[in-house]
Amino acid sequence: MKDNETKPLLRRGGFTFKQFFVGHDRCGMKVTTDGVILGGWTDVHNCQRVLDIGTGTGLLALMLAQRSDERVVLDAVEIDGAAYLQAKENVQASPWHQRIQVFHADIQDYAEQTNEHYDLIISNPPYFPEGTDCRDEARSRARYTHILSHHNLLMYVDKLLLPHGRFAVMLPCASGQSLEQLALSMGWFTLRRTWVSDVPDKPAYIVLLELTKTPSICHEQHLVTHQPGRQSYTEQFKQLAKDFYLAL
C-alpha cells in the first residue's frame, strides 16, 4: 500500500481485508488462512456465474467477486441460520453486493429447486469425521462430514455445473484423496491438484483440487505458505494473498 493511501479501519469481530471486511463472530467457522488460499488459488477466468457451497462468512464469494469481471454473478448457499445472516451482512457491506446473492438453504434443496447452472462451483466442505469433538453445535454443523457426504456433494455439483464447468474444493490430504478417487470413479477428471504445506520441511496438510467433467491432464503443484521458522510468508503465498492481506 502506498504512503498516500488510506488504510482500512480495523474492526473487531472479524477480519479486515484490503477491499472488504468479513465479520465472523456469529459463525461456526472463522476466517482462516486456508480459506484465503482457496479463494486466491481458484481460477476465475471464463466464468459468468459462480456458486459457493457452504459459504459460511461469505469469504470465498467475496474473494472471487473481487478477482472476477464485474459481469460475473455469484450465488452463495449456507444452511446455518446465523452464518447465513452474517454472510448477508458481509456481502451487503462489500463493493460487490449487487453481484452476490446469499441463499439460506441446504444444498440438496437448492439443487432441486434452482434453475441456475454454473461455470464454476467452489466449496470448503465439511471434513472432520463423525465423532471428532467440536466446541459447539455451529462448528459441528459447519464441519462434520455426516452433514454432507462427499458422494452427495459431488452429485449436487454435477447437477448444478455446466458441461464445461469446474469444481474447486479444499480438504485435508487424506479426505481430499478420498474425494478425488470417488470423483474419478464417477466420471470426473482432475484439472489441477495443489498440495499445501506450512513450511518447506513439513508434509502437506491440505490439498486443493480443481475437477471437471471434460477429459483433462492434471497439473500438480506444491504450495508452501511460510519461510522456515514461520517468521515470514513465502513469495508463493504472497502472490495469492497480496490483493487481500493488509500486510502484503
Side-chain angles (χ1 to χ4, degrees):
M1 182 173 291
K2 297 179 181 178
D3 293 338
N4 61 350
E5 292 180 345
T6 302
K7 293 184 178 180
L9 179 65
L10 295 178
R11 296 166 53 187
R12 295 183 177 181
F15 198 95
T16 302
F17 293 92
K18 287 183 176 179
Q19 295 190 38
F20 60 94
F21 173 79
V22 177
H24 62 196
D25 55 303
R26 302 193 307 277
C27 290
M29 296 306 300
K30 311 303 183 184
V31 172
T32 65
T33 299
D34 294 349
V36 173
I37 290 172
L38 179 60
W41 175 86
T42 300
D43 184 2
V44 294
H45 292 98
N46 299 320
C47 291
Q48 295 182 355
R49 198 167 197 104
V50 178
L51 175 65
D52 177 11
I53 297 177
T55 193
T57 61
L59 172 64
L60 294 178
L62 289 164
M63 290 186 70
L64 297 191
Q66 178 180 325
R67 295 181 54 225
S68 60
D69 186 273
E70 62 181 11
R71 294 168 294 185
V72 175
V73 175
L74 301 98
D75 295 328
V77 177
E78 175 56 49
I79 188 174
D80 181 76
Y84 157 74
L85 291 174
Q86 187 142 59
K88 282 197 69 173
E89 291 177 7
N90 290 333
V91 166
Q92 286 301 312
S94 78
W96 312 286
H97 61 273
Q98 294 182 328
R99 294 169 49 200
I100 305 173
Q101 186 169 1
V102 185
F103 297 90
H104 184 202
D106 179 275
I107 187 57
Q108 178 179 357
D109 295 336
Y110 183 81
E112 292 174 353
Q113 295 171 11
T114 186
N115 293 319
E116 299 293 348
H117 290 85
Y118 298 90
D119 307 284
L120 172 65
I121 298 178
I122 188 171
S123 183
N124 180 5
Y127 57 78
F128 284 166
E130 188 172 0
T132 303
D133 184 39
C134 280
R135 292 193 298 271
D136 53 47
E137 184 178 352
R139 188 172 175 85
S140 173
R141 181 187 294 272
R143 281 218 148 145
Y144 278 156
T145 55
H146 73 279
I147 300 294
L148 179 62
S149 71
H150 290 167
H151 180 272
N152 287 344
L153 175 62
L154 289 167
M155 291 291 290
Y156 302 144
V157 171
D158 189 25
K159 178 178 177 62
L160 294 165
L161 202 64
L162 289 166
H164 66 273
R166 295 172 287 110
F167 175 41
V169 61
M170 176 182 68
L171 285 165
C173 294
S175 296
Q177 289 175 301
S178 296
L179 181 141
E180 184 178 11
Q181 289 303 311
L182 178 61
L184 295 177
S185 72
M186 296 170 64
W188 294 82
F189 297 86
T190 305
L191 186 59
R192 285 195 298 159
R193 182 192 305 115
T194 298
W195 305 96
V196 182
S197 300
D198 285 325
V199 289
D201 59 344
K202 293 287 184 68
Y205 69 97
I206 56 172
V207 61
L208 310 174
L209 298 169
E210 183 178 340
L211 305 173
T212 179
K213 282 300 187 76
T214 303
S216 305
I217 297 175
C218 178
H219 298 275
E220 188 166 20
Q221 295 177 314
H222 190 189
L223 168 67
V224 179
T225 60
H226 291 81
Q227 301 285 359
R230 296 181 57 86
Q231 298 302 311
S232 61
Y233 293 121
T234 63
E235 289 302 317
Q236 284 179 298
F237 179 80
K238 289 179 181 179
Q239 287 302 309
L240 283 181
K242 62 183 176 62
D243 292 332
F244 301 97
Y245 276 11
L246 296 177
L248 299 181

